[in-house]
Amino acid sequence: MISIRKSVKVELELFNKSERTSNEFREWSKNFIKYDNWSSMMEYRWAHAMAINENPALYVTQMPKEYFNFLNEFENNRIDKLNSSTYLNFLNEYAMYIDQLVPLDSQKVYLTNMTDEFEKGASFFLRYYNQVEKGFLKDVLISKLYYRLLDAKYYAQLKNIFDINLIADKELQDRIQQKYDYEKNLFETPQFSEGTKLNELKDENDFFNALIKNYPNKVIYIDFWAPWCSPCMSEMPYSAKIKNHFQDKNVAFVYLASQCEEGAWKTTIAEQKINGEHYFLSDKQFAQLSEIFKINGIPHYALIDKNGKIVNGNAPRPSSENELINLIEKNLN
């Protein structure tokens, strides 16, 4: 790596001399190469671990500490005009590296108790970042934590421990405050699109039959989803397209959310404009439906005919557009 870096440096110097490049370009290119090398070196900790079938979180603790000595060269301040993709990638890799160094027992507490012990977990990470880092890198770590939690719609849980003054960098501070204010407004005054209905069905003993009774003589397309589920969310635009196709026909598009916070459920529906019939499932209700439809994970889809009979307990996804439309139309006739 060092020999390659020296070789590139020599070539760059020759290029700058022959082309009479500006001082700004010279500084930018020098940083581009430096952070490209550093990013590659940081990626080794997980890329090599995966190649040898090791757990990256464990493997990084087994690597010689001297391997990461190059990090001591980091100036620990913001690069603005000299910004580049390699610099941003390095910051992202560094943040993941620091998270990997969190004691595994602490990680387990944080990841498994995001709802009922949320403040404990988030507070731990804020304290941890303040202990292990300083300056601009500390600001990056805290900003990424705040943004990640706000983007996951955990405003209600985060608001009690949110402190923008933990971030010294003005630009990062402004960006996180804007995100916080946006999520706050979305949580407190969600604006639902036309055709969105949030329903309440408290039946804990036979939720399925109680549900289909709400849609007599209609074909029901059920979407099991959660705000944190990326595959679920990627299907929503296709779902909207199919809903439009069956507009004014006897088809009900029913969205059953589970394994999430009610606040995140509402704000995601509002933000993503997911119109249709919505229900927030209790753990017991989801367990009942999982048994009926043999759900192993989400997203999961099911189709019910006009008589309340399950046509397909593992129906095509909305992205399987033609297949799904043909199936629905077949059961409309």
Side-chain angles (χ1 to χ4, degrees):
M1 178 68 73
I2 294 175
S3 61
I4 294 174
R5 185 173 175 180
K6 287 183 177 178
S7 175
V8 172
K9 184 178 179 181
V10 170
E11 290 296 326
L12 179 60
E13 289 174 352
L14 291 173
F15 175 82
N16 287 331
K17 185 176 181 179
S18 64
E19 299 299 323
R20 297 181 180 179
T21 57
S22 65
N23 290 333
E24 187 175 53
F25 174 82
R26 294 184 182 199
E27 191 66 20
W28 176 88
S29 58
K30 181 182 72 175
N31 279 285
F32 183 95
I33 292 170
K34 177 172 70 175
Y35 288 112
D36 187 45
N37 283 321
W38 286 6
S39 294
S40 296
M41 293 180 72
M42 291 298 287
E43 289 169 3
Y44 176 84
R45 75 189 193 284
W46 56 261
H48 183 69
M50 293 177 65
I52 60 175
N53 295 318
E54 291 282 350
N55 182 338
L58 294 176
Y59 183 77
V60 70
T61 63
Q62 300 167 8
M63 295 175 65
K65 292 183 179 180
E66 294 77 15
Y67 176 86
F68 297 99
N69 282 348
F70 65 92
L71 293 174
N72 297 329
E73 300 178 39
F74 183 72
E75 296 85 354
N76 203 2
N77 53 35
R78 167 188 290 280
I79 298 177
D80 283 320
K81 289 190 297 183
L82 308 177
N83 209 344
S84 70
S85 58
T86 60
Y87 174 65
L88 298 177
N89 189 55
F90 165 74
L91 292 177
N92 188 53
E93 287 291 338
Y94 183 82
M96 291 190 290
Y97 162 69
I98 292 297
D99 283 351
Q100 284 182 326
L101 297 181
V102 176
L104 291 179
D105 288 344
S106 299
Q107 282 194 32
K108 186 176 181 181
V109 169
Y110 176 68
L111 294 172
T112 58
N113 298 293
M114 285 291 285
T115 54
D116 53 356
E117 293 192 30
F118 181 92
E119 290 187 20
K120 178 181 176 182
S123 296
F124 164 80
F125 269 80
L126 290 174
R127 290 195 305 271
Y128 175 72
Y129 292 152
N130 273 291
Q131 290 171 1
V132 301
E133 201 50 81
K134 60 184 179 180
F136 182 62
L137 284 176
K138 185 192 75 171
D139 288 348
V140 169
L141 294 170
I142 294 175
S143 297
K144 285 180 71 66
L145 175 65
Y146 277 157
Y147 192 92
R148 185 168 64 246
L149 296 177
L150 288 169
D151 203 43
K153 308 306 177 191
Y154 282 109
Y155 162 77
Q157 293 81 5
L158 185 62
K159 65 180 181 179
N160 293 327
I161 58 173
F162 180 81
D163 184 0
I164 196 62
N165 293 316
L166 292 177
I167 304 169
D169 183 84
K170 187 63 169 64
E171 183 174 336
L172 287 176
Q173 191 181 76
D174 289 345
R175 289 188 181 185
I176 297 302
Q177 188 65 58
Q178 288 173 11
K179 179 65 174 176
Y180 180 84
D181 293 341
Y182 171 81
E183 297 298 339
K184 178 178 185 291
N185 182 65
L186 189 64
F187 179 85
E188 294 179 349
T189 56
Q191 302 294 319
F192 299 105
S193 60
E194 185 179 355
T196 301
K197 185 179 179 183
L198 274 58
N199 301 283
E200 188 173 9
L201 188 55
K202 293 186 176 180
D203 194 306
E204 294 282 341
N205 297 315
D206 192 0
F207 181 86
F208 174 67
N209 282 312
L211 177 69
I212 62 176
K213 284 179 182 177
N214 285 348
Y215 307 100
N217 301 314
K218 285 191 174 184
V219 173
I220 307 171
Y221 183 62
I222 301 177
D223 181 334
F224 293 90
W225 73 291
W228 49 261
C229 170
S230 296
C232 300
M233 299 309 301
S234 66
E235 290 289 331
M236 292 303 179
Y238 298 101
S239 182
K241 185 177 180 181
I242 293 175
K243 277 199 295 282
N244 289 334
H245 180 87
F246 288 104
Q247 192 174 10
D248 300 326
K249 294 188 178 180
N250 288 330
V251 182
F253 287 83
V254 177
Y255 297 85
L256 306 181
S258 63
Q259 307 167 81
C260 63
E261 287 291 308
E262 188 171 358
W265 171 62
K266 290 180 180 179
T267 54
T268 303
I269 293 170
E271 183 180 47
Q272 301 298 323
K273 297 180 171 35
I274 309 171
N275 59 36
E277 301 283 328
H278 291 274
Y279 295 83
F280 184 74
L281 299 180
S282 68
D283 291 342
K284 185 176 180 180
Q285 289 168 340
F286 181 65
Q288 291 174 4
L289 295 174
S290 294
E291 186 173 345
I292 292 172
F293 294 106
K294 311 300 180 189
I295 300 173
N296 295 317
I298 57 175
H300 188 94
Y301 306 91
L303 191 71
I304 315 298
D305 69 13
K306 293 179 180 180
N307 300 314
K309 179 183 176 182
I310 299 174
V311 175
N312 191 329
N314 189 17
R317 296 185 175 202
S319 56
S320 300
E321 185 177 346
N322 293 333
E323 183 182 2
L324 179 56
I325 287 175
N326 291 336
L327 182 62
I328 293 175
E329 287 181 340
K330 180 180 178 181
N331 285 275
L332 274 173
N333 298 328

